[in-house]
Amino acid sequence: MFFMKAGFLYVEEAFSRSEAKYRRRVVLAKYVDTFASTIGFWLFGYAFSGNTSGFAVGEEQDYIFWFFRFTFASNTATIIGGTLVGQKIQLRIMSVFIYAFFMSVS
């Protein structure tokens, strides 16, 4: 599931404009997306995703469930960002960080 992010990156890069600055922007947006969704899911999202053992990750099995749920939360933000690749709208990196953070929390 986590490797779907790499697939989305390749698809978005293929549909972006052929100039190098647009392709770099897509790659940077995916890195920022992954970073923001990791921070958001680690801080708040895991507690809201049906975790019954409390707010933090405790046991070894919790780490597996955390990563599994994180991949789904992270991919939702990636899909939304991919809808704007072919458009003339270019997202700013801070706005990518903010929406990925809040998408991974909810």
Side-chain angles (χ1 to χ4, degrees), residues 62-75:
D62 286 344
Y63 289 109
I64 296 170
F65 287 128
W66 181 90
F67 187 75
F68 180 70
R69 291 176 181 166
F70 158 71
T71 57
F72 282 101
S74 180
N75 280 331

Side-chain angles (χ1 to χ4, degrees), residues 40-41 43-51 54-55 69 104-106:
F41 194 75
L43 287 176
F44 303 109
Y46 187 63
F48 296 138
S49 69
N51 180 21
F55 193 65
R69 291 176 181 166
S104 65
V105 168
S106 58

Side-chain angles (χ1 to χ4, degrees), residues 8 16 47 53 70 76-77 85:
F8 287 136
S16 67
S53 64
F70 158 71
T76 56
V85 169

Side-chain angles (χ1 to χ4, degrees), residues 87-98:
Q87 308 296 323
K88 293 186 178 183
I89 300 170
Q90 291 295 321
L91 291 176
R92 295 196 171 151
I93 297 302
M94 192 60 179
S95 63
V96 171
F97 183 87
I98 291 170

